[in-house]
Amino acid sequence: AATALGITGLVRNDGACVYITAFGTARALADLQYALQRTAPPLAHVQRVEVRSVAAAPAEAIPASFTIVASRLHDAAPGT
């Protein structure tokens, strides 16, 4: 869904949660949130979607594509 919406960033599963870092327009990000809550993949069990807004990133910090990062088990928090 992210790529189709023009969103860039990454998704990672730590075994307990799925973390998504997404960059896109406000509309695209809202559409992604809706898709995660309403039209998740058949094997996904979505209990809640938590959104955290951050300050705008400089253009050079925004990834050019959306990437699925290899799963890592038992991470304490995203980015570790």
Side-chain angles (χ1 to χ4, degrees), residues 1 10 22-23 31 40 46 53 55 58 62 75:
L10 62 91
F23 299 88
D31 288 349
V46 178
S53 297
I62 298 174
D75 282 348

Side-chain angles (χ1 to χ4, degrees), residues 47-70:
Q47 292 180 335
R48 75 175 188 258
V49 175
E50 185 176 314
V51 177
R52 296 181 189 173
S53 297
V54 296
E60 62 273 5
I62 298 174
S65 62
F66 194 84
T67 305
I68 299 172
V69 178

Side-chain angles (χ1 to χ4, degrees), residues 12-15 69-75 77 79-80:
R12 178 173 55 87
N13 183 339
D14 75 0
V69 178
S71 296
R72 298 187 317 199
L73 297 180
H74 309 297
D75 282 348
T80 59

Side-chain angles (χ1 to χ4, degrees), residues 2-68:
T3 302
L5 293 168
I7 293 173
T8 63
L10 62 91
V11 61
R12 178 173 55 87
N13 183 339
D14 75 0
C17 295
V18 173
Y19 296 97
I20 300 172
T21 302
F23 299 88
T25 66
R27 173 63 188 255
L29 294 171
D31 288 349
L32 177 62
Q33 183 179 354
Y34 178 84
L36 292 170
Q37 293 172 314
R38 303 285 190 252
T39 60
L43 296 178
H45 178 72
V46 178
Q47 292 180 335
R48 75 175 188 258
V49 175
E50 185 176 314
V51 177
R52 296 181 189 173
S53 297
V54 296
E60 62 273 5
I62 298 174
S65 62
F66 194 84
T67 305
I68 299 172

